[in-house]
Amino acid sequence: MFFGLDHSQLQVYWWVIESLLGGLLVFLFFVQGGQGLIDRLSANEEEKTLLVSTLGRKWELGFTTLVLFGGAAFAAFPLFYSTSFGGAYWVWLAILFCFIIQAVSYEYRKKEGNLLGSKTYEVFLKINGILGVFLIGVAVSTFFSGAEFHLGGTPVEIESSGALPSFSSSNPYFVSWDSPLRGLEALANPLNYLLGFALVFLSRIVAESYFINALASEAITKRARKDILLNTALFLPFFLGFLAWICLKDGFGVSENGEVQMVANLYLLTFLRYPVILALLVLGVLGVLFGIYKSWRGEKGIFALGFGVVLAVMAVFLNVGLGGAFYPSITDLQSSLTIQNASSSYYTLSVMGYVSLAVPFVLGYIVYVWRAMDRKKLSAQDFKEHSY
């Protein structure tokens, strides 16, 4: 089948795909970051419309990548998909709501006769740009802090949940969520906030770098160059705090016989065990810092910054996926999900492997469209006929 890879190799291959999509998604959060800055970087309505319209040309890319990330998880790791998206549904519904109001806002903000007025839709954009990104960061943090679920279920639990009789306690694929908050309980752990806030400020940094590269407005560029230093100063403590937390905490390791157990400094040991992952993280961080420096100087730093973001996020995902249980349960360690027990069958991963060969073409198309849209710097005159 897929180039002679066995099942375990296909599982790793698909986790690499998921990690890449996660990195691309975080980079494309620059749209959300820009939405949170529309008042800060604009001095009048014309400049605000220029910022929103510039982002409006790109917002579908991030939404599509989010859907693609979820679709790949459904195909390659269905037990994770059903456990997280089906079990922690309140947090995912909150995230989905944030993205729905984003789509509505770009459609109706400047439409004549809209009932809510443009200011309301601008608030919606800010909610998506801040709360939506923060909640995704908190959700991803549970890869390291753990979630409250267990596989299987007792007859009493099944009866009280109203599940169909065909589900039994012997079925390991029946997931019971152990908190009535359904994912929102992750907000009770302040350490989960580290990645949430880090993503919020990183998305703003990338947005300001994008504005510097894409806009022909000297006033906006000047404000963005100044503000990028502030957001960098806010981003670094949260990001470094997140790295320190995962490297110093006990991790959810998996023994040779498949038993999940707590291992001291697991994620630090994983970086050391896999030098390639550590190299990706280091290159990613250096790329981010270099991109910030170039953007602060008013130069084209978005590409170095974007490259660094993708590599750094990939390193974090690869660490948790290859180091142990990538979706651990804190109420029942043996219910924790790994890329081995949560993956699809060998046949499914093989067939989908051929489908994944289309990913480079999709990325190539995105690059082509991006270059076509940004072949010249944008000004308010470019949105006279149509603005968001």
Side-chain angles (χ1 to χ4, degrees), residues 301-319:
I302 182 65
F303 300 109
L305 187 54
F307 185 72
V309 168
V310 172
L311 290 186
V313 174
M314 278 190 70
V316 172
F317 270 86
L318 290 173
N319 181 300

Side-chain angles (χ1 to χ4, degrees), residues 1-326:
M1 297 293 284
F2 188 67
F3 299 116
L5 299 179
D6 61 29
H7 196 193
S8 62
Q9 291 170 328
L10 284 171
Q11 291 164 341
V12 173
Y13 172 80
W14 271 102
W15 188 253
V16 172
I17 296 292
E18 279 289 286
S19 301
L20 173 60
L21 291 174
L24 291 172
L25 178 61
V26 172
F27 166 63
L28 292 172
F29 278 163
F30 78 84
V31 174
Q32 278 69 31
Q35 291 167 185
L37 294 168
I38 53 178
D39 287 334
R40 190 174 182 83
L41 297 183
S42 63
N44 51 56
E45 190 63 29
E46 183 179 80
E47 290 182 347
K48 182 182 294 184
T49 297
L50 173 59
L51 291 171
V52 174
S53 298
T54 301
L55 296 172
R57 290 151 50 101
K58 295 288 197 305
W59 77 268
E60 293 100 331
L61 295 177
F63 192 88
T64 301
T65 305
L66 179 61
V67 173
L68 186 59
F69 178 87
F74 174 77
F77 303 99
L79 187 53
F80 161 66
Y81 184 92
S82 63
T83 301
S84 181
F85 293 90
Y89 56 74
W90 281 127
V91 70
W92 285 111
L93 281 176
I95 292 171
L96 180 61
F97 173 77
C98 290
F99 279 83
I100 289 174
I101 61 175
Q102 178 200 35
V104 171
S105 298
Y106 280 117
E107 178 67 24
Y108 290 101
R109 176 180 175 269
K110 280 298 184 178
K111 184 164 289 187
E112 294 184 6
N114 71 72
L115 297 176
L116 301 178
S118 60
K119 294 295 183 183
T120 301
Y121 293 111
E122 289 166 12
V123 172
F124 288 169
L125 290 176
K126 294 172 187 174
I127 292 174
N128 171 257
I130 299 173
L131 182 61
V133 174
F134 174 76
L135 288 177
I136 288 179
V138 170
V140 172
S141 286
T142 60
F143 285 13
F144 297 92
S145 62
E148 299 183 18
F149 67 90
H150 66 273
L151 303 182
T154 66
V156 174
E157 289 172 335
I158 295 171
E159 182 180 354
S160 64
S161 67
L164 295 175
S166 57
F167 290 108
S168 69
S169 58
S170 62
N171 185 353
Y173 300 110
F174 180 73
V175 179
S176 296
W177 203 264
D178 298 317
S179 169
L181 296 178
R182 293 287 183 168
L184 291 177
E185 70 276 359
L187 294 172
N189 185 351
L191 292 173
N192 289 333
Y193 290 25
L194 292 171
L195 184 59
F197 283 120
L199 289 186
V200 170
F201 293 119
L202 178 62
S203 68
R204 292 185 167 211
I205 292 170
V206 183
E208 287 165 336
S209 179
Y210 175 69
F211 289 144
I212 292 169
N213 178 68
L215 299 182
S217 171
E218 185 175 341
I220 293 178
T221 298
K222 183 178 180 179
R223 296 186 200 107
R225 289 177 59 189
K226 180 180 179 180
D227 203 58
I228 201 171
L229 294 179
L230 172 62
N231 283 303
T232 300
L234 294 171
F235 160 71
L236 286 176
F238 287 108
F239 177 68
L240 295 176
F242 169 74
L243 288 181
W245 170 53
I246 66 173
C247 287
L248 296 177
K249 75 183 297 291
D250 293 345
F252 301 82
V254 181
S255 64
E256 293 183 359
N257 61 5
E259 181 182 359
V260 179
Q261 53 193 4
M262 302 306 295
V263 178
N265 307 119
L266 173 66
Y267 306 111
L268 174 60
L269 295 175
T270 301
F271 278 126
L272 299 178
R273 179 183 176 188
Y274 297 99
V276 173
I277 299 179
L278 180 59
L280 286 177
L281 179 65
V282 173
L283 289 175
V285 172
L286 292 177
V288 169
L289 295 177
F290 182 63
I292 292 172
Y293 172 73
K294 292 196 68 174
S295 298
W296 172 68
R297 288 175 54 88
E299 301 172 2
K300 189 176 294 187
I302 182 65
F303 300 109
L305 187 54
F307 185 72
V309 168
V310 172
L311 290 186
V313 174
M314 278 190 70
V316 172
F317 270 86
L318 290 173
N319 181 300
V320 72
L322 301 183
F326 73 89

